[in-house]
Amino acid sequence: MLQSIEGTYKDGKVELTELPSDVLESRVIVTFLEPKNPLQHSQIMTFGMFSGKNQSTEDDFGIAEFHGDREDYLDWSK
């Protein structure tokens, strides 16, 4: 039976966050994951981020605004 348990590698040692169940001795495979990047950029589109020949205008952003769907029968005016 395969088990996956999270842990950390530091100073040549692997520290598991929990002990595996029903395992006294076993071969293991250790996979090093990419470190979590705390400085991930926001995924919000901003003015000019996809600039090319034609620059976006305020009117372009106004056209793209969501004003509700008629089919959902919800009051989006509030």
Side-chain angles (χ1 to χ4, degrees), residues 50-66:
F50 298 110
S51 62
K53 292 181 188 177
N54 301 326
Q55 292 290 320
S56 299
T57 65
E58 290 293 327
D59 291 333
D60 294 333
F61 283 92
I63 292 169
E65 286 182 14
F66 177 71

Side-chain angles (χ1 to χ4, degrees), residues 66-69 72-78:
F66 177 71
H67 296 286
D69 292 324
D72 64 12
Y73 303 105
L74 298 174
D75 182 10
W76 291 93
S77 63
K78 297 178 185 178

